[in-house]
Amino acid sequence: MAAANGLASDRRKSRKAHFTAPSGIKRKIMSSPLSKELRAKHSARSIPIRKDDEVLIVRGKYKGREGKVTQVYRKKWVIHVDRVHIEKSNAATAPVGIHPSNVVITSLKLDKDRKAILERKGAQGEKKEAAASGDVEMVE
């Protein structure tokens, strides 16, 4: 039975929806957390990753490496980071796919659309904080 928000609780249906999602929805799913400095500056926790963002890999074999995102490969659900590659047996190099949840964005490539997204997210965060910290009035 589908929930009110259009998502199925059935494992098979949820996985099908995830892996056959259109590109625009994959973009949102492929979000990465912001570094502590960026989080404080923009009052947003995460943002969809894009080419030319600078990231720090925080999980996996390449943990600790820093670099610029060279490609967001939505079809394979990975990003390619500058200078993170393997050497193949024929001496060619191939980029290593890193899942966006395993990186932290350290520097954003800002354009007008991205600034608008961050302003919206910041406004939502301030509303939530005000609601959480505000006094509740008793009604009789």
Side-chain angles (χ1 to χ4, degrees):
M1 183 98 187
N5 60 3
L7 297 174
S9 59
D10 183 19
R11 182 173 188 267
R12 178 204 272 185
K13 291 179 182 176
S14 295
R15 285 177 57 82
K16 181 173 183 181
H18 178 82
F19 290 108
T20 62
S23 185
I25 293 177
K26 281 186 183 183
R27 174 184 167 271
K28 189 163 187 179
I29 294 171
M30 291 178 69
S31 293
S32 292
L34 297 173
S35 66
K36 287 195 169 117
E37 298 82 38
L38 289 176
R39 200 181 299 176
K41 181 179 177 186
H42 298 293
S43 62
R45 188 170 185 84
S46 66
I47 192 165
I49 198 149
R50 82 170 265 185
K51 185 179 173 180
D52 294 332
D53 283 346
E54 289 185 26
V55 296
L56 169 67
I57 301 172
V58 292
R59 290 279 183 277
K61 183 178 177 181
Y62 300 97
K63 179 179 181 176
R65 296 241 196 132
E66 226 172 325
K68 191 179 275 195
V69 176
T70 56
Q71 184 182 20
V72 178
Y73 204 154
R74 290 187 194 164
K75 187 175 182 182
K76 290 189 174 181
W77 297 90
V78 296
I79 60 170
H80 292 155
V81 181
D82 194 27
R83 298 186 307 273
V84 177
H85 48 75
I86 56 168
E87 186 127 347
K88 294 173 26 172
S89 59
N90 65 355
T93 59
V96 175
I98 308 286
H99 195 272
S101 66
N102 295 333
V103 302
V104 170
I105 300 173
T106 56
S107 172
L108 289 166
K109 181 182 181 189
L110 286 175
D111 57 5
K112 63 182 176 69
D113 295 327
R114 217 137 187 241
K115 285 179 184 171
I117 290 169
L118 287 168
E119 285 172 16
R120 276 199 316 269
K121 282 190 149 212
Q124 284 177 349
E126 289 168 11
K127 283 182 188 175
K128 285 181 184 175
E129 287 174 14
S133 65
D135 291 332
V136 178
E137 198 172 307
M138 293 292 288
V139 179
E140 294 181 28

